[in-house]
Amino acid sequence: MALINEHYQKLAAGYLFPEIGRRVREYEQAHPGKPVIRMGIGDVTQPLSPSVIRAFHEGVDEMASAATFRGYGPEQGYGFLREAIAERSFRSRGADISAEEIFVSDGSKCDTGNIQEIFGRDSKIAICDPVYPVYADTTVMAGKTGPVGDNGYYQGIIYLPCTAENNFIPGLPQEVPDLIFLCYPNNPTGTVATREELKKWVDYAREHKSIILFDAAYEAFIRNGEIPHSIFEIEGAREVAIEFRSLSKTAGFTGTRLAYTVIPEELMAYDRQGQAVQVKKLWNRRHTTKFNGVSYPVQKAAAAVFTEEGQREVQATIDYYMENAALIRKNLEACGYTVYGGENAPYIWVRTRNGMKSWDFFDLLLERASVVGTPGSGFGPSGEGYFRFSAFAARENVLEAMARIRDL
Ligand code: MLT
């Protein structure tokens, strides 16, 4: 008899974004004449940039000739791409990261979930509330929690509430976690962490031999020059952090797929005897066993992102999305909403009015304005009463959505 992984049955509901998709499809079927504007899942709408497309085509053409054809590549990614990432994403910002510490993959969603596999089953995990739901869901799937309580919290997870009162930056926990998920610029609140705040976490992790799992998927949207883009800009972070980066939002790769995970040489975790084991070595073992690398044309396209021309082009697209973010902020504030984020991140985090529940606001917007956003409670209990708008829409849709909300 095949037994299931019973931890899956603890999961509270379907994954957030497919659930939103299901509700929107139902609405569209019931209201065929009403065009829906999607500002829910953070999915990009602007095309890949010209130099990226050119490199992508070249990569495909190389696969068409026996002289330049490539089969399996290095599982960790081609050297040309890892070197370009190390230079452009890290060393140019003073973060000492080498190409050998970079693992290219097909997504940060997979990496942030899969990373748990190389750590002990009993690891205590700290997770911000609200936050990208993958961290909690994959912790449950990995059997590291008890059931979900009436308060929406899974037993065994150390939750770090992020509220307007603490500027959406969590305080250091009383109970010491082994692994700490941090995501800055933050999904969903759109807030950022200063150098001092990150230093506090790095020092805490060093003191307790914890590891910070730092999701920097939205670093390219930072506008404030004082805000660090990488945890590795913080002194001491090489001993205690793993960083996840993605080209999904940065360069429009949500459909093309390319991300990378950075694990410094000196990062250690411990066996039951207290012996230090190199984390990079474990991840390399996992990666080479379970992953055969991203396709060559995609890596070639990705490398173009890190050229001067590529950087100029992707920056123009990011500017476009950030202008959307500014428009969303301005319009919602003019309607009397309290609004956070959207200044160094593509997400705008809005307080609903009169204590309205997040899913009720979702239904209201869908039914009365045919506009889709993401209910804050889908990111954790402290997200209740909030709503997230994504700035990754086409400009005309942003303007139309804001006009519809004004008319509500
Ligand atoms: C989001 O909307 O939170 C993200 O697009 C989801 C993801 O990156 O997987």
Side-chain angles (χ1 to χ4, degrees):
M1 182 171 65
L3 296 179
I4 61 161
N5 172 353
E6 297 209 352
H7 302 298
Y8 273 65
Q9 293 190 308
K10 294 176 195 159
L11 290 164
Y15 184 56
L16 176 61
F17 294 108
E19 173 59 20
I20 291 173
R22 187 188 66 73
R23 291 185 187 214
V24 174
R25 275 192 304 280
E26 265 179 28
Y27 174 82
E28 284 179 319
Q29 274 159 15
H31 306 85
K34 287 197 173 172
V36 170
I37 297 178
R38 290 176 164 74
M39 300 170 79
I41 189 166
D43 194 4
V44 293
T45 51
Q46 301 306 297
L48 295 174
S49 79
S51 61
V52 170
I53 283 292
R54 222 170 26 246
F56 209 164
H57 278 293
E58 282 164 19
V60 171
D61 287 343
E62 285 177 55
M63 298 299 267
S65 149
T68 48
F69 171 81
R70 301 192 188 218
Y72 290 126
E75 293 89 345
Q76 303 87 345
Y78 284 101
F80 65 81
L81 175 59
R82 297 169 84 199
E83 194 45 61
I85 293 171
E87 184 51 40
R88 183 69 70 169
S89 297
F90 298 102
R91 291 199 291 262
S92 71
R93 297 195 59 85
D96 172 26
I97 293 295
S98 74
E100 292 68 40
E101 294 170 322
I102 293 168
F103 293 82
V104 173
S105 77
D106 61 351
S108 286
K109 183 189 197 173
C110 328
D111 285 355
T112 50
N114 290 333
I115 200 80
Q116 303 224 16
E117 187 182 317
I118 61 171
F119 295 106
R121 238 327 250 297
D122 319 329
S123 306
K124 273 271 170 198
I125 319 269
I127 295 179
C128 294
D129 166 35
V131 85
Y132 184 39
V134 167
Y135 316 147
D137 285 7
T138 56
T139 302
V140 176
M141 290 171 178
K144 292 186 174 125
T145 73
V148 70
D150 291 340
N151 57 3
Y153 284 164
Y154 289 100
Q155 282 169 23
I157 291 181
I158 301 170
Y159 285 93
L160 310 171
C162 296
T163 58
E165 288 67 46
N166 62 13
N167 280 329
F168 305 102
I169 306 284
L172 299 171
Q174 297 290 324
E175 185 182 356
V176 175
D178 303 303
L179 302 172
I180 304 159
F181 276 104
L182 293 179
C183 171
Y184 287 101
N186 185 256
N187 179 10
T189 63
T191 47
V192 284
T194 62
R195 197 167 289 280
E196 293 67 39
E197 280 148 357
L198 290 182
K199 178 81 173 90
K200 207 171 61 184
W201 279 100
V202 167
D203 291 345
Y204 177 87
R206 287 172 89 182
E207 183 187 340
H208 297 290
K209 293 200 166 99
S210 310
I211 292 181
I212 298 171
L213 303 171
F214 192 74
D215 186 348
Y218 299 96
E219 58 76 33
F221 295 83
I222 295 174
R223 307 248 131 167
N224 179 338
E226 300 296 310
I227 301 293
H229 287 230
S230 167
I231 189 95
F232 298 119
E233 290 174 48
I234 309 300
E235 193 203 330
R238 284 182 57 87
E239 291 165 35
V240 290
I242 294 176
E243 182 162 308
F244 304 92
R245 289 269 187 118
S246 167
L247 293 194
S248 282
K249 319 296 157 77
T250 311
F253 273 56
T254 53
T256 309
R257 313 303 311 148
L258 192 128
Y260 47 99
T261 289
V262 185
I263 310 188
E265 298 284 344
E266 51 266 60
L267 182 71
M268 297 292 161
Y270 299 85
D271 67 16
R272 287 205 187 276
Q273 287 69 47
Q275 290 293 319
V277 178
Q278 199 191 33
V279 174
K280 182 185 155 214
K281 196 169 142 206
L282 295 183
W283 184 247
N284 191 55
R285 185 69 170 84
R286 186 210 177 271
H287 204 67
T288 50
T289 304
K290 295 196 171 181
F291 188 62
N292 265 335
V294 173
S295 81
Y296 172 69
V298 170
Q299 293 197 54
K300 179 117 184 176
V305 171
F306 298 95
T307 61
E308 292 288 337
E309 193 184 2
Q311 289 287 293
R312 261 198 315 278
E313 291 170 354
V314 297
Q315 194 51 56
T317 307
I318 288 168
D319 290 348
Y320 173 88
Y321 292 133
M322 291 309 286
E323 282 158 25
N324 283 348
L327 276 171
I328 297 168
R329 271 190 70 102
K330 192 174 98 193
N331 278 279
L332 292 175
E333 274 172 346
C335 293
Y337 288 99
T338 305
V339 174
Y340 305 91
E343 290 172 322
N344 292 287
Y347 295 126
I348 297 90
W349 188 239
V350 185
R351 192 97 182 91
T352 62
R353 283 197 297 228
N354 306 321
M356 188 183 259
K357 299 262 192 208
S358 303
W359 275 107
D360 291 342
F361 190 65
F362 173 90
D363 289 336
L364 175 88
L365 273 195
L366 185 58
E367 288 292 332
R368 305 245 322 261
S370 307
V371 170
V372 181
T374 307
S377 56
F379 297 98
S382 298
E384 183 59 275
Y386 287 90
F387 199 74
R388 191 194 77 174
F389 286 93
S390 152
F392 291 113
R395 179 68 42 82
E396 59 276 20
N397 284 342
V398 169
L399 293 171
E400 171 65 19
M402 292 302 117
R404 291 186 197 173
I405 291 173
R406 262 199 316 272
D407 293 345
L408 266 185

